[in-house]
PDB file of all heavy atoms in Angstrom:
ATOM      1  N   PHE N 168      36.039 171.693  77.338  1.00 88.00           N
ATOM      2  CA  PHE N 168      37.356 172.036  77.861  1.00 88.00           C
ATOM      3  C   PHE N 168      37.648 173.490  77.481  1.00 88.00           C
ATOM      4  O   PHE N 168      38.453 173.794  76.625  1.00 88.00           O
ATOM      5  CB  PHE N 168      38.392 171.075  77.296  1.00 88.00           C
ATOM      6  CG  PHE N 168      39.782 171.202  77.872  1.00 88.00           C
ATOM      7  CD1 PHE N 168      40.043 171.905  79.038  1.00 88.00           C
ATOM      8  CD2 PHE N 168      40.846 170.593  77.228  1.00 88.00           C
ATOM      9  CE1 PHE N 168      41.330 172.010  79.549  1.00 88.00           C
ATOM     10  CE2 PHE N 168      42.135 170.684  77.729  1.00 88.00           C
ATOM     11  CZ  PHE N 168      42.375 171.404  78.889  1.00 88.00           C
ATOM     12  N   THR N 169      36.962 174.402  78.154  1.00 90.00           N
ATOM     13  CA  THR N 169      36.981 175.813  77.767  1.00 90.00           C
ATOM     14  C   THR N 169      38.314 176.501  78.047  1.00 90.00           C
ATOM     15  O   THR N 169      38.602 177.532  77.449  1.00 90.00           O
ATOM     16  CB  THR N 169      35.862 176.577  78.495  1.00 90.00           C
ATOM     17  OG1 THR N 169      36.046 176.422  79.907  1.00 90.00           O
ATOM     18  CG2 THR N 169      34.494 176.064  78.074  1.00 90.00           C
ATOM     19  N   GLN N 170      39.101 175.966  78.928  1.00 94.00           N
ATOM     20  CA  GLN N 170      40.383 176.577  79.269  1.00 94.00           C
ATOM     21  C   GLN N 170      41.524 176.094  78.378  1.00 94.00           C
ATOM     22  O   GLN N 170      42.677 176.474  78.563  1.00 94.00           O
ATOM     23  CB  GLN N 170      40.720 176.299  80.736  1.00 94.00           C
ATOM     24  CG  GLN N 170      39.700 176.836  81.719  1.00 94.00           C
ATOM     25  CD  GLN N 170      39.564 178.344  81.617  1.00 94.00           C
ATOM     26  OE1 GLN N 170      40.553 179.054  81.526  1.00 94.00           O
ATOM     27  NE2 GLN N 170      38.334 178.832  81.605  1.00 94.00           N
ATOM     28  N   ALA N 171      41.241 175.247  77.393  1.00 94.00           N
ATOM     29  CA  ALA N 171      42.283 174.628  76.573  1.00 94.00           C
ATOM     30  C   ALA N 171      43.136 175.655  75.844  1.00 94.00           C
ATOM     31  O   ALA N 171      44.373 175.551  75.843  1.00 94.00           O
ATOM     32  CB  ALA N 171      41.669 173.653  75.579  1.00 94.00           C
ATOM     33  N   ASN N 172      42.504 176.644  75.214  1.00 92.00           N
ATOM     34  CA  ASN N 172      43.282 177.642  74.480  1.00 92.00           C
ATOM     35  C   ASN N 172      44.214 178.418  75.397  1.00 92.00           C
ATOM     36  O   ASN N 172      45.361 178.699  75.044  1.00 92.00           O
ATOM     37  CB  ASN N 172      42.371 178.599  73.718  1.00 92.00           C
ATOM     38  CG  ASN N 172      41.753 177.952  72.504  1.00 92.00           C
ATOM     39  OD1 ASN N 172      42.212 176.922  72.019  1.00 92.00           O
ATOM     40  ND2 ASN N 172      40.696 178.562  72.000  1.00 92.00           N
ATOM     41  N   MET N 173      43.727 178.766  76.581  1.00 95.00           N
ATOM     42  CA  MET N 173      44.553 179.493  77.529  1.00 95.00           C
ATOM     43  C   MET N 173      45.732 178.622  77.982  1.00 95.00           C
ATOM     44  O   MET N 173      46.881 179.073  77.996  1.00 95.00           O
ATOM     45  CB  MET N 173      43.745 179.924  78.746  1.00 95.00           C
ATOM     46  CG  MET N 173      44.595 180.675  79.765  1.00 95.00           C
ATOM     47  SD  MET N 173      43.714 181.090  81.276  1.00 95.00           S
ATOM     48  CE  MET N 173      43.640 179.502  82.066  1.00 95.00           C
ATOM     49  N   ILE N 174      45.466 177.372  78.326  1.00 97.00           N
ATOM     50  CA  ILE N 174      46.528 176.476  78.793  1.00 97.00           C
ATOM     51  C   ILE N 174      47.538 176.216  77.673  1.00 97.00           C
ATOM     52  O   ILE N 174      48.754 176.233  77.905  1.00 97.00           O
ATOM     53  CB  ILE N 174      45.927 175.163  79.332  1.00 97.00           C
ATOM     54  CG1 ILE N 174      45.096 175.452  80.588  1.00 97.00           C
ATOM     55  CG2 ILE N 174      47.014 174.134  79.624  1.00 97.00           C
ATOM     56  CD1 ILE N 174      44.236 174.292  81.043  1.00 97.00           C
ATOM     57  N   ALA N 175      47.041 176.004  76.451  1.00 96.00           N
ATOM     58  CA  ALA N 175      47.944 175.784  75.311  1.00 96.00           C
ATOM     59  C   ALA N 175      48.829 177.006  75.085  1.00 96.00           C
ATOM     60  O   ALA N 175      50.036 176.868  74.836  1.00 96.00           O
ATOM     61  CB  ALA N 175      47.143 175.455  74.056  1.00 96.00           C
ATOM     62  N   ALA N 176      48.262 178.199  75.177  1.00 96.00           N
ATOM     63  CA  ALA N 176      49.045 179.419  74.990  1.00 96.00           C
ATOM     64  C   ALA N 176      50.097 179.568  76.087  1.00 96.00           C
ATOM     65  O   ALA N 176      51.237 179.978  75.818  1.00 96.00           O
ATOM     66  CB  ALA N 176      48.126 180.637  74.964  1.00 96.00           C
ATOM     67  N   LEU N 177      49.738 179.240  77.308  1.00 97.00           N
ATOM     68  CA  LEU N 177      50.692 179.317  78.416  1.00 97.00           C
ATOM     69  C   LEU N 177      51.824 178.306  78.233  1.00 97.00           C
ATOM     70  O   LEU N 177      52.996 178.621  78.473  1.00 97.00           O
ATOM     71  CB  LEU N 177      49.986 179.111  79.755  1.00 97.00           C
ATOM     72  CG  LEU N 177      49.015 180.219  80.163  1.00 97.00           C
ATOM     73  CD1 LEU N 177      48.241 179.823  81.416  1.00 97.00           C
ATOM     74  CD2 LEU N 177      49.748 181.541  80.372  1.00 97.00           C
ATOM     75  N   LEU N 178      51.494 177.089  77.806  1.00 98.00           N
ATOM     76  CA  LEU N 178      52.526 176.079  77.549  1.00 98.00           C
ATOM     77  C   LEU N 178      53.430 176.495  76.388  1.00 98.00           C
ATOM     78  O   LEU N 178      54.650 176.330  76.440  1.00 98.00           O
ATOM     79  CB  LEU N 178      51.880 174.723  77.258  1.00 98.00           C
ATOM     80  CG  LEU N 178      51.224 174.022  78.441  1.00 98.00           C
ATOM     81  CD1 LEU N 178      50.351 172.870  77.962  1.00 98.00           C
ATOM     82  CD2 LEU N 178      52.286 173.533  79.419  1.00 98.00           C
ATOM     83  N   PHE N 179      52.831 177.035  75.339  1.00 98.00           N
ATOM     84  CA  PHE N 179      53.575 177.532  74.184  1.00 98.00           C
ATOM     85  C   PHE N 179      54.562 178.619  74.631  1.00 98.00           C
ATOM     86  O   PHE N 179      55.751 178.568  74.315  1.00 98.00           O
ATOM     87  CB  PHE N 179      52.580 178.079  73.154  1.00 98.00           C
ATOM     88  CG  PHE N 179      53.188 178.537  71.862  1.00 98.00           C
ATOM     89  CD1 PHE N 179      53.383 177.647  70.819  1.00 98.00           C
ATOM     90  CD2 PHE N 179      53.536 179.863  71.674  1.00 98.00           C
ATOM     91  CE1 PHE N 179      53.920 178.068  69.601  1.00 98.00           C
ATOM     92  CE2 PHE N 179      54.073 180.297  70.471  1.00 98.00           C
ATOM     93  CZ  PHE N 179      54.267 179.396  69.432  1.00 98.00           C
ATOM     94  N   GLY N 180      54.050 179.591  75.369  1.00 98.00           N
ATOM     95  CA  GLY N 180      54.907 180.666  75.879  1.00 98.00           C
ATOM     96  C   GLY N 180      56.000 180.139  76.786  1.00 98.00           C
ATOM     97  O   GLY N 180      57.162 180.549  76.688  1.00 98.00           O
ATOM     98  N   ALA N 181      55.647 179.203  77.664  1.00 98.00           N
ATOM     99  CA  ALA N 181      56.636 178.622  78.572  1.00 98.00           C
ATOM    100  C   ALA N 181      57.727 177.886  77.800  1.00 98.00           C
ATOM    101  O   ALA N 181      58.907 177.949  78.165  1.00 98.00           O
ATOM    102  CB  ALA N 181      55.952 177.670  79.557  1.00 98.00           C
ATOM    103  N   GLY N 182      57.350 177.199  76.721  1.00 98.00           N
ATOM    104  CA  GLY N 182      58.346 176.518  75.895  1.00 98.00           C
ATOM    105  C   GLY N 182      59.371 177.494  75.341  1.00 98.00           C
ATOM    106  O   GLY N 182      60.579 177.219  75.360  1.00 98.00           O
ATOM    107  N   PHE N 183      58.909 178.641  74.877  1.00 98.00           N
ATOM    108  CA  PHE N 183      59.822 179.652  74.350  1.00 98.00           C
ATOM    109  C   PHE N 183      60.674 180.264  75.458  1.00 98.00           C
ATOM    110  O   PHE N 183      61.876 180.490  75.277  1.00 98.00           O
ATOM    111  CB  PHE N 183      59.048 180.741  73.606  1.00 98.00           C
ATOM    112  CG  PHE N 183      58.846 180.441  72.152  1.00 98.00           C
ATOM    113  CD1 PHE N 183      57.832 179.586  71.736  1.00 98.00           C
ATOM    114  CD2 PHE N 183      59.674 180.987  71.194  1.00 98.00           C
ATOM    115  CE1 PHE N 183      57.645 179.292  70.400  1.00 98.00           C
ATOM    116  CE2 PHE N 183      59.492 180.707  69.844  1.00 98.00           C
ATOM    117  CZ  PHE N 183      58.482 179.854  69.445  1.00 98.00           C
ATOM    118  N   VAL N 184      60.060 180.527  76.615  1.00 98.00           N
ATOM    119  CA  VAL N 184      60.810 181.115  77.735  1.00 98.00           C
ATOM    120  C   VAL N 184      61.916 180.166  78.179  1.00 98.00           C
ATOM    121  O   VAL N 184      63.074 180.579  78.353  1.00 98.00           O
ATOM    122  CB  VAL N 184      59.872 181.470  78.906  1.00 98.00           C
ATOM    123  CG1 VAL N 184      60.669 181.813  80.157  1.00 98.00           C
ATOM    124  CG2 VAL N 184      58.949 182.620  78.527  1.00 98.00           C
ATOM    125  N   VAL N 185      61.596 178.896  78.356  1.00 97.00           N
ATOM    126  CA  VAL N 185      62.598 177.932  78.823  1.00 97.00           C
ATOM    127  C   VAL N 185      63.689 177.739  77.770  1.00 97.00           C
ATOM    128  O   VAL N 185      64.876 177.674  78.098  1.00 97.00           O
ATOM    129  CB  VAL N 185      61.928 176.590  79.214  1.00 97.00           C
ATOM    130  CG1 VAL N 185      62.970 175.540  79.554  1.00 97.00           C
ATOM    131  CG2 VAL N 185      60.982 176.796  80.391  1.00 97.00           C
ATOM    132  N   ALA N 186      63.306 177.661  76.500  1.00 97.00           N
ATOM    133  CA  ALA N 186      64.306 177.530  75.435  1.00 97.00           C
ATOM    134  C   ALA N 186      65.214 178.749  75.403  1.00 97.00           C
ATOM    135  O   ALA N 186      66.442 178.622  75.288  1.00 97.00           O
ATOM    136  CB  ALA N 186      63.627 177.312  74.080  1.00 97.00           C
ATOM    137  N   GLY N 187      64.625 179.929  75.511  1.00 97.00           N
ATOM    138  CA  GLY N 187      65.426 181.154  75.504  1.00 97.00           C
ATOM    139  C   GLY N 187      66.366 181.227  76.692  1.00 97.00           C
ATOM    140  O   GLY N 187      67.530 181.615  76.544  1.00 97.00           O
ATOM    141  N   ALA N 188      65.881 180.830  77.862  1.00 97.00           N
ATOM    142  CA  ALA N 188      66.736 180.823  79.046  1.00 97.00           C
ATOM    143  C   ALA N 188      67.885 179.844  78.882  1.00 97.00           C
ATOM    144  O   ALA N 188      69.028 180.140  79.289  1.00 97.00           O
ATOM    145  CB  ALA N 188      65.902 180.485  80.286  1.00 97.00           C
ATOM    146  N   GLU N 189      67.615 178.712  78.291  1.00 96.00           N
ATOM    147  CA  GLU N 189      68.672 177.719  78.057  1.00 96.00           C
ATOM    148  C   GLU N 189      69.701 178.249  77.062  1.00 96.00           C
ATOM    149  O   GLU N 189      70.908 178.040  77.218  1.00 96.00           O
ATOM    150  CB  GLU N 189      68.069 176.399  77.572  1.00 96.00           C
ATOM    151  CG  GLU N 189      69.079 175.309  77.361  1.00 96.00           C
ATOM    152  CD  GLU N 189      69.968 175.039  78.566  1.00 96.00           C
ATOM    153  OE1 GLU N 189      69.493 175.137  79.712  1.00 96.00           O
ATOM    154  OE2 GLU N 189      71.163 174.761  78.354  1.00 96.00           O
ATOM    155  N   ILE N 190      69.238 178.935  76.023  1.00 96.00           N
ATOM    156  CA  ILE N 190      70.178 179.524  75.067  1.00 96.00           C
ATOM    157  C   ILE N 190      71.048 180.565  75.766  1.00 96.00           C
ATOM    158  O   ILE N 190      72.265 180.607  75.560  1.00 96.00           O
ATOM    159  CB  ILE N 190      69.427 180.161  73.883  1.00 96.00           C
ATOM    160  CG1 ILE N 190      68.813 179.063  73.011  1.00 96.00           C
ATOM    161  CG2 ILE N 190      70.339 181.045  73.054  1.00 96.00           C
ATOM    162  CD1 ILE N 190      67.881 179.576  71.923  1.00 96.00           C
ATOM    163  N   LEU N 191      70.453 181.398  76.607  1.00 96.00           N
ATOM    164  CA  LEU N 191      71.243 182.390  77.339  1.00 96.00           C
ATOM    165  C   LEU N 191      72.240 181.722  78.286  1.00 96.00           C
ATOM    166  O   LEU N 191      73.385 182.157  78.395  1.00 96.00           O
ATOM    167  CB  LEU N 191      70.322 183.311  78.149  1.00 96.00           C
ATOM    168  CG  LEU N 191      69.547 184.356  77.364  1.00 96.00           C
ATOM    169  CD1 LEU N 191      68.632 185.144  78.293  1.00 96.00           C
ATOM    170  CD2 LEU N 191      70.486 185.296  76.628  1.00 96.00           C
ATOM    171  N   ARG N 192      71.812 180.669  78.943  1.00 94.00           N
ATOM    172  CA  ARG N 192      72.706 179.961  79.861  1.00 94.00           C
ATOM    173  C   ARG N 192      73.900 179.367  79.125  1.00 94.00           C
ATOM    174  O   ARG N 192      75.029 179.416  79.592  1.00 94.00           O
ATOM    175  CB  ARG N 192      71.954 178.849  80.595  1.00 94.00           C
ATOM    176  CG  ARG N 192      72.744 178.227  81.735  1.00 94.00           C
ATOM    177  CD  ARG N 192      72.118 176.948  82.248  1.00 94.00           C
ATOM    178  NE  ARG N 192      72.114 175.881  81.286  1.00 94.00           N
ATOM    179  CZ  ARG N 192      73.199 175.186  80.901  1.00 94.00           C
ATOM    180  NH1 ARG N 192      74.373 175.467  81.385  1.00 94.00           N
ATOM    181  NH2 ARG N 192      73.093 174.211  80.019  1.00 94.00           N
ATOM    182  N   ALA N 193      73.639 178.839  77.948  1.00 91.00           N
ATOM    183  CA  ALA N 193      74.702 178.184  77.174  1.00 91.00           C
ATOM    184  C   ALA N 193      75.603 179.189  76.460  1.00 91.00           C
ATOM    185  O   ALA N 193      76.720 178.847  76.084  1.00 91.00           O
ATOM    186  CB  ALA N 193      74.087 177.229  76.153  1.00 91.00           C
ATOM    187  N   ALA N 194      75.108 180.418  76.264  1.00 84.00           N
ATOM    188  CA  ALA N 194      75.920 181.418  75.542  1.00 84.00           C
ATOM    189  C   ALA N 194      76.980 181.917  76.444  1.00 84.00           C
ATOM    190  O   ALA N 194      77.937 182.186  76.548  1.00 84.00           O
ATOM    191  CB  ALA N 194      75.048 182.586  75.074  1.00 84.00           C
TER     192      ALA N 194
END
Side-chain angles (χ1 to χ4, degrees):
F168 187 15
T169 58
Q170 300 299 316
N172 286 342
M173 179 185 74
I174 294 168
L177 293 173
L178 289 167
F179 184 88
F183 271 81
V184 169
V185 174
E189 182 54 36
I190 290 172
L191 285 177
R192 190 192 65 73

